[in-house]
Amino acid sequence: MIENDILRDAADLFGVTVEAVTSAMRHRQYADARAVVCYVLCSMRGMSTTEVGRMIHRTHATVIYYNRKADDWLRMPMLNRRGACAIRELENRYKDQKL
């Protein structure tokens, strides 16, 4: 499933495990990877915030927060260059995949 591939690739880009991304831990690299996953799944795959939340063990409100955070990174990459680059990398990698 493409959604799982995106989750795995985002974890790899941040040098963490998928389990860490879906865990309750709040380390920055885990939270940043979660934000990237949320943004890519909602914007490119058209998944609802509830579906994405279930996938990463969070509420839909948290997914909305992560989407706004990632959107800020894309508008102002100096906030988190690594996050913005990860989003662009995943968008390029999965742009030809059908919805």
Side-chain angles (χ1 to χ4, degrees):
M1 211 156 99
I2 293 173
E3 292 81 8
N4 292 327
D5 293 340
I6 291 170
L7 179 60
R8 186 192 68 242
D9 288 347
D12 288 343
L13 287 171
F14 283 88
V16 298
T17 64
V18 171
E19 292 77 23
V21 175
T22 59
S23 75
M25 291 186 283
R26 296 173 21 177
H27 298 286
R28 181 175 179 155
Q29 68 242 27
Y30 305 157
D32 287 353
R34 278 183 214 120
V36 169
V37 168
C38 292
Y39 186 84
V40 172
L41 290 178
C42 288
S43 69
M44 288 189 65
R45 302 295 302 156
M47 291 178 69
S48 72
T49 56
T50 303
E51 292 172 319
V52 175
R54 279 191 207 116
M55 187 174 177
I56 63 166
H57 309 291
R58 297 290 189 286
T59 66
H60 77 283
T62 303
V63 175
I64 292 169
Y65 168 76
Y66 280 138
N67 282 337
R68 288 181 182 156
K69 186 177 190 179
D71 190 48
D72 287 344
W73 296 344
L74 292 174
R75 283 187 291 112
M76 296 178 285
M78 68 272 208
L79 294 175
N80 188 331
R81 191 166 310 279
R82 186 175 186 187
C85 290
I87 291 169
R88 294 294 178 220
E89 170 69 27
L90 291 175
E91 285 178 339
N92 288 332
R93 199 176 289 180
Y94 291 99
K95 69 181 172 190
D96 296 328
Q97 304 290 328
K98 66 182 208 180
L99 291 172

